[in-house]
């Protein structure tokens, strides 16, 4: 037997697959097997992408694999990984790396003992002590016993939530009041334990019932039979739509019935979309299939994942990005073996190794985190659509602020009202022209109402740090990053000024190095400064800050938890505070500098601004208490803001789609961004010109090259392809980049291709 192996190397020039002769020792090698193969003098890791009876090369010229690793990849995912490589103009190795078992090739992917944790439970004596008969208790010990009154809990949680630390639990154990046992649990679950529990299964509202019925009607009836990968039978490897059309047809024919058309659940904030997903997943499991649920970053929105764990227990694998490689491998293995049948996770969970997938949910489908930053710059929403189509599964995207692309392409199901019947909060737009300081008087008054009544507010300012930049009062010097053409942001707590693009940091200057002046001025306000201002204004209410700086110190989950637990208080931060959190008692939402995003030249600016304001507004006024929202802007007449204030997503989407159609933007055309960079400007500029000529030569419309600001010490030039024919555009860009990158005369240039840039 011949195995066609794609080597897992980053070298763009090395294009496989390469044929290997498989002897009897490795007889069970199939598509998706991960092999160690000899490659010239080296050994490489490679993935079998096809098996065949014979090779074009004579047998004596073929080497044999050295060994096969234990974990293998489902054939379906091999095809998906290679498709991603093609679709996003990357390499097969990088595409396949997305679908490999976590830790492959690093030696850390081996199965290890699952993580154990300590669980405490009340003894009979402990129950008596709690009732007041028995020994006197310290306050921590009492808090611990009280926390255990409802049932066993993890020792770590007792410390965190009840202040009963490990030592206190030990003393309780020594006094015979609690028993402590080691338990083993699935990794990934600890992060979402206890959050999102809002009482078990409940009656759906009539609107939820209707939505669910439509979704269930679209689900496949059951698993597809006649799966591929019989040894000896070549498996079609899907290339891009243009190149491997034949492969696609073959696989569709082999797999049988066509996939259901995708659905878009467009429901206002608080309309109970998660409950609908849960029921749909229940139905899929009952039909003998599996499900994938994509969510934005779990660290920020543990509630959704928590509800899935609460409902499905060990059937769920949580693919949390903060898991160790070993933990991720364990969850991967549970999905691969079928022990877990629902995968919940961020964008990479679209590659979860489940068999017979019947449903792929994309929750909060407008969220930018679905796009990967580095190569391959895939969009998990687009990959999910492809995977669903190939597997015959239903794709279900959901959001209160769906993307124009999804609205125009998917059938929509509406949830027009909140489950609790509460109205969406009134939104007031206030103009900041001429206002001193970061807060408008209307905002101050609204915050003061919250302070006096002891309620909760969320304040959004999409800019972290203390202030945006420093200037010298003597000579006008502006402090800039030595590596990037941007200003350095003051982080006062750390005593640093920092670049938000490359991470460069330096001490806060006390005088100007150019003129010696000590009068340095700070400009603009970020979340750090706003947080301090709010502590002063809102006293005695607690203020919790949530931005990339506090999250990096491990505080994201903690800030959210403490804000949720507090009776009253303020959550202040960047767009992280506008994610899908469900706090029932927030009565005020505030957005500062809401039109900041609109001042950037980006065709998605409108969409992003509308989503940000609508999502933040959606956090307010849930759970019976009336809410309100104040939005500060330089230009409160901006249409994205006016539509958001009116909760008019249909009006916004109609206007946005018309504008995009007129300009040929997605979904009416595809965009591809190519950035050439080099240390000196010349190589990148000449490479960009060469790309331009080749892409134009292929009759694909392309703009540029435009110089971009210097980033991480590199000069950059950008081309933008805007074409109605996506497949042709991708093919032309791939051909141009391959040719120009191979031409050494341009010097050392890095090429970054971004299909569907955000
Ligand atoms: P969305 O994701 O649409 O913003 P959620 O799914 O977070 O909304 O639901 C909002 C709140 O309503 C949650 O606290 C959820 O538990 C609750 N909820 C959902 N469905 C129902 C229902 N049928 N009856 C009562 N409460 C519900
Ligand atoms: Zn100066
Ligand atoms: Zn920098």
């Amino acid at each position: 037997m011949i195995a066609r192996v794609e080597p897992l190397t980053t070298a763009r020039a090395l294009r496989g697959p390469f044929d290997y002769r498989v002897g009897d020792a490795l007889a069970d090698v199939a598509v998706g097997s991960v092999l160690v193969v000899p490659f010239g003098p080296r050994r490489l890791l490679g993935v079998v992408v096809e098996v065949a009876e014979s090779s074009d090369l004579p047998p004596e010229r073929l080497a044999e694999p050295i060994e096969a690793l234990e974990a293998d990849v489902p054939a379906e995912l091999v095809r998906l990984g290679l498709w991603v490589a093609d679709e996003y103009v990357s390499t097969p190795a990088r595409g396949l790396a997305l679908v490999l078992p976590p830790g492959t090739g690093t030696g850390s992917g081996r199965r290890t003992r699952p993580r154990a944790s300590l669980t405490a439970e009340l003894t009979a004596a402990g129950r008596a002590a709690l009732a007041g008969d028995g020994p006197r208790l310290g306050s921590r010990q009492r808090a611990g016993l009280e926390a255990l009154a409802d049932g066993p809990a993890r020792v770590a949680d007792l410390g965190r939530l009840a202040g009963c630390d490990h030592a206190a639990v030990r003393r309780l154990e020594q006094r015979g009041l609690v028993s402590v046992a080691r338990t083993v649990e699935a990794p990934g679950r600890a992060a979402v334990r206890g959050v999102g529990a809002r009482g078990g299964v409940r009656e759906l509202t009539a609107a939820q019932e209707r939505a669910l019925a439509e979704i269930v009607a679209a689900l496949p009836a059951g698993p597809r039979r006649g799966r591929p990968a019989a040894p000896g039978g070549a498996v079609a490897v899907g290339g891009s739509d243009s190149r491997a059309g034949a492969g696609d047809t073959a696989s569709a024919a082999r797999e049988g019935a066509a996939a259901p058309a995708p659905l878009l659940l467009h429901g206002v904030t608080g309309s109970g979309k998660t409950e609908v997903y849960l029921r749909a997943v229940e139905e899929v499991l009952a039909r003998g299939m599996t499900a994938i649920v994509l969510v934005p970053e779990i660290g920020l929105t543990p509630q959704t994942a928590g509800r899935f764990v609460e409902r499905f227990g060990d059937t769920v694998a949580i693919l949390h990005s903060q898991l160790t490689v070993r933990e991720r491998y364990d969850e991967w293995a549970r999905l691969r073996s079928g022990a877990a049948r629902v995968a919940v996770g961020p964008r990479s969970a679209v590659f979860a190794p489940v068999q017979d997938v019947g449903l792929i949910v994309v929750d909060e489908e407008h969220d930018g985190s679905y796009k990967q930053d580095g190569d391959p710059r895939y969009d998990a929403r687009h990959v999910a659509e492809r995977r669903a189509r190939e597997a015959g599964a239903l794709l279900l995207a959901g959001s209160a602020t769906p993307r124009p692309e999804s609205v125009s392409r998917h059938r929509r199901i509406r949830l027009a009202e909140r489950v609790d019947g509460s109205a969406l909060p009134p939104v007031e737009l206030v103009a900041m022209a001429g206002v001193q300081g970061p807060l408008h008087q209307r905002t101050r008054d609204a915050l003061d109402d919250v302070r006096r009544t002891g309620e909760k507010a969320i304040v959004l300012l999409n800019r972290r740090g203390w202030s945006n930049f420093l200037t010298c009062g003597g000579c006008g010097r502006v402090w800039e990053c030595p590596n990037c053409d941007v200003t350095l942001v003051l982080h006062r707590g750390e005593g640093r000024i920092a670049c938000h693009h490359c991470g460069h940091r330096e001490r806060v200057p006390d005088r100007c190095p150019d003129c010696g002046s000590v009068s340095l001025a700070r400009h603009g306000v970020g979340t750090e400064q706003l947080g301090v201002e709010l502590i002063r204004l809102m006293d005695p209410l607690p203020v919790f800050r949530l931005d990339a700086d506090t999250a990096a110190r491990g505080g994201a989950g903690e800030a959210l938890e403490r804000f949720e637990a507090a009776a009253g208080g303020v959550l202040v931060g960047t767009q992280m505070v506008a994610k899908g959190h469900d706090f029932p008692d927030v009565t005020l939402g505030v957005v500062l500098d809401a039109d900041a995003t609109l001042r950037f030249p980006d065709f998605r600016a409108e969409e992003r601004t509308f989503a940000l304001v609508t999502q933040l507004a959606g956090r307010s006024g849930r759970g019976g208490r009336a809410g309100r929202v104040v939005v500060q802007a330089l230009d409160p007449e901006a249409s994205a803001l006016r539509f958001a204030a009116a909760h008019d997503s249909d009006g916004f989407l109609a206007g946005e789609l018309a504008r995009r159609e007129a300009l040929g933007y997605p979904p009416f055309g595809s965009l591809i961004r190519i950035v050439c960079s080099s240390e000196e400007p010349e190589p990148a500029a000449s490479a960009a010109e060469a790309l331009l000529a080749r892409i134009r030569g292929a009759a694909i419309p392309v703009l540029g090259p435009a110089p971009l600001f210097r980033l991480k010490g590199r000069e950059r030039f950008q081309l933008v392809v805007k074409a109605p024919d996506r497949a042709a555009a991708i093919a032309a860009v791939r051909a141009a980049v391959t040719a120009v990158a191979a031409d050494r005369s341009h010097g050392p240039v890095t090429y970054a291709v971004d299909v569907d840039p955000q």
Side-chain angles (χ1 to χ4, degrees):
M1 183 176 69
I2 303 300
R4 306 232 147 95
V5 176
E6 194 63 64
L8 297 172
T9 148
T10 50
R12 254 186 198 267
L14 199 61
R15 291 304 287 247
F18 301 102
D19 287 3
Y20 287 84
R21 187 157 37 90
V22 179
D24 291 342
L26 294 174
D28 59 352
V29 160
V31 171
S33 295
V34 184
L35 304 179
V36 180
V37 293
F39 197 82
R42 289 184 296 162
R43 294 168 152 221
L44 287 179
L45 212 53
V47 177
V48 178
V49 295
E50 198 177 332
V51 290
E53 291 298 343
S54 61
S55 170
D56 294 342
L57 294 171
E60 62 278 9
R61 298 227 0 234
L62 295 179
E64 281 195 41
I66 296 162
E67 62 171 333
L69 301 194
E70 202 178 314
D72 62 344
V73 179
E76 174 201 353
L77 288 181
V78 171
R79 291 195 296 272
L80 192 66
L82 293 173
W83 176 82
V84 166
D86 256 336
E87 182 76 359
Y88 293 97
V89 195
S90 183
T91 63
R94 290 221 172 102
L96 288 170
L98 299 169
V99 303
L100 289 176
T104 302
T106 64
S108 52
R110 295 274 135 77
R111 201 158 182 37
T112 48
R113 259 171 8 110
R115 158 192 287 202
S117 64
L118 296 176
T119 310
E121 190 171 3
L122 284 184
T123 61
R127 222 163 281 129
L130 198 54
D133 319 325
R136 279 179 48 84
L137 295 166
S139 63
R140 279 189 203 171
Q141 296 180 24
R142 169 158 291 280
L145 290 186
E146 280 169 0
L148 289 172
D150 293 338
R154 296 196 327 146
V155 171
D157 289 343
L158 289 176
R160 208 160 43 92
L161 301 174
C164 177
D165 59 16
H166 214 132
V169 175
R170 259 285 117 70
R171 281 195 295 280
L172 286 170
E173 191 186 13
Q174 282 158 5
R175 297 173 69 173
L177 302 178
V178 305
S179 61
V180 176
R182 285 181 78 79
T183 51
V184 170
E185 65 175 337
R189 304 274 305 277
V192 298
R193 169 178 315 287
V195 286
R198 290 252 194 278
V201 186
R202 48 170 83 76
E203 297 269 297
L204 293 186
T205 63
Q208 283 173 317
E209 284 290 4
R210 278 195 300 276
L212 180 65
E214 234 184 290
I215 292 162
V216 167
L219 287 174
R224 283 183 170 182
R225 298 295 156 200
R227 300 247 142 215
V235 168
V237 170
S240 76
D241 293 329
S242 61
R243 255 190 10 186
D248 288 354
T249 323
S251 74
R254 185 188 62 243
E255 299 278 4
L263 294 176
L264 174 64
L265 183 59
H266 181 182
V268 299
T269 51
S271 59
K273 294 184 286 294
T274 311
E275 190 62 38
V276 174
Y277 305 145
L278 286 163
R279 300 295 176 104
V281 170
E282 240 165 44
E283 180 61 31
V284 163
L285 294 177
R287 295 184 185 188
M289 296 176 287
T290 61
I292 297 173
V293 180
L294 301 183
V295 295
E297 179 48 46
I298 289 186
L300 283 178
T301 52
Q303 287 175 337
T304 307
R307 281 183 211 165
F308 278 86
V309 170
E310 181 194 27
R311 188 69 53 91
F312 299 110
D314 280 342
T315 304
V316 178
I318 304 284
L319 302 168
H320 195 284
S321 61
Q322 274 148 35
L323 299 182
T324 65
V325 173
R326 275 177 195 179
E327 289 170 331
R328 267 186 285 142
Y329 180 84
D330 286 343
E331 289 298 67
W332 190 93
R334 291 203 314 123
L335 291 164
R336 178 81 178 103
S337 71
R341 296 168 62 215
V342 182
V344 178
R347 62 170 177 269
S348 58
V350 75
F351 302 108
V354 288
Q355 303 272 351
D356 299 327
V357 61
L359 173 67
I360 305 181
V361 173
V362 185
D363 186 23
E364 309 287 2
E365 72 102 29
H366 61 278
D367 198 275
S369 71
Y370 287 123
K371 189 75 166 42
Q372 165 131 311
D373 242 346
D375 187 273
R377 295 177 171 77
Y378 72 89
D379 188 323
R381 297 164 289 204
H382 186 55
V383 179
E385 205 175 320
R386 167 80 185 193
R387 184 168 182 185
R389 179 151 36 91
E390 288 287 290
L394 174 67
L395 177 84
L396 173 62
S399 174
T401 52
R403 296 175 300 157
E405 286 96 320
S406 309
V407 168
S408 77
R409 296 182 30 238
H410 302 335
R411 186 151 64 86
R412 243 192 309 175
I413 302 175
R414 308 296 291 258
L415 288 174
E417 272 156 29
R418 287 180 161 181
V419 269
D420 59 9
S422 63
L424 290 165
V427 178
E428 187 181 353
L429 296 171
V430 297
M432 288 302 282
V435 173
Q436 291 292 313
L439 299 175
H440 193 280
Q441 191 56 43
R442 305 293 299 218
T443 311
R444 289 170 178 274
D445 292 345
L447 283 166
D448 202 54
D449 286 345
V450 169
R451 185 187 62 78
R452 278 187 293 101
T453 49
E455 292 177 338
K456 285 188 189 172
I458 299 183
V459 181
L460 166 69
L461 171 60
N462 214 357
R463 195 157 58 219
R464 64 199 166 87
W466 185 271
S467 45
N468 309 357
F469 63 104
L470 294 179
T471 57
C472 169
C475 69
R477 180 187 210 273
V478 178
W479 270 260
E480 289 186 340
C481 177
N483 310 318
C484 316
D485 291 338
V486 297
T487 57
L488 294 172
V489 177
L490 173 64
H491 290 257
R492 211 178 71 163
E494 295 169 58
R496 306 270 173 194
I497 48 179
C499 172
H500 285 183
H501 293 274
C502 72
H504 169 86
R505 294 139 62 86
E506 48 190 89
R507 287 226 347 261
V508 177
D510 43 22
R511 62 180 59 240
C512 175
D514 294 346
C515 73
S517 166
V518 292
S519 100
L520 307 183
R522 303 159 172 173
H523 305 269
V525 174
T527 46
E528 185 186 13
Q529 186 175 344
L530 183 63
V532 170
E533 172 85 2
L534 286 170
I535 289 172
R536 198 175 58 74
L537 283 179
M538 302 302 284
D539 183 63
L541 292 187
V543 175
F544 308 96
R545 178 154 68 94
L546 178 58
D547 56 30
D549 297 320
T550 61
R553 295 198 291 271
E558 195 190 308
L560 290 168
E561 228 168 76
R562 288 172 53 204
F563 178 64
E564 175 160 28
V570 180
L571 179 66
V572 55
T574 54
Q575 30 88 26
M576 291 181 178
V577 303
K579 302 277 168 169
H581 318 299
D582 179 33
F583 304 118
D585 44 7
V586 172
T587 52
L588 173 66
V590 176
V591 187
L592 305 193
D593 209 359
D595 51 352
T597 37
L598 293 176
R599 298 196 286 270
F600 289 101
D602 173 359
F603 83 96
R604 285 189 208 277
E606 306 276 332
E607 170 188 349
R608 212 168 279 147
T609 306
F610 177 82
L612 198 65
V613 173
T614 305
Q615 292 289 343
L616 194 271
R619 305 309 121 215
S620 172
R622 292 179 172 219
R625 289 205 224 177
R628 63 188 282 208
V629 178
V630 182
V631 176
Q632 299 187 170
L634 283 177
D635 175 18
E637 291 301 310
S639 77
L641 295 179
R642 279 193 294 114
F643 281 121
H647 304 292
D648 183 3
S649 60
D650 285 332
F652 173 74
L653 286 163
E656 189 63 12
L657 281 166
R659 190 179 70 95
R660 292 199 187 179
E661 183 160 24
L663 298 173
Y665 282 126
F668 304 98
S670 287
L671 292 187
I672 306 175
R673 196 168 93 112
I674 311 163
V675 176
C676 303
S677 67
S678 52
E679 276 170 29
E680 298 299 324
E682 179 43 35
S686 80
E689 288 294 348
L691 284 173
L692 180 74
R694 281 182 182 271
I695 296 170
R696 285 226 170 109
I700 299 291
V702 51
L703 303 171
L708 300 177
F709 73 86
R710 198 168 53 104
L711 181 70
K712 299 182 186 174
R714 301 183 70 85
E715 304 288 344
R716 303 180 301 153
F717 292 86
Q718 167 176 284
L719 298 172
V720 176
V721 172
K722 193 166 82 174
D725 183 347
R726 179 187 180 88
I730 291 173
V733 168
R734 187 189 306 116
V737 170
T738 308
V740 174
D743 177 358
R744 299 276 151 198
S745 73
H746 299 296
V749 178
T750 302
Y751 302 85
V753 180
D754 193 352
V755 179
D756 307 328
Q758 288 296 296

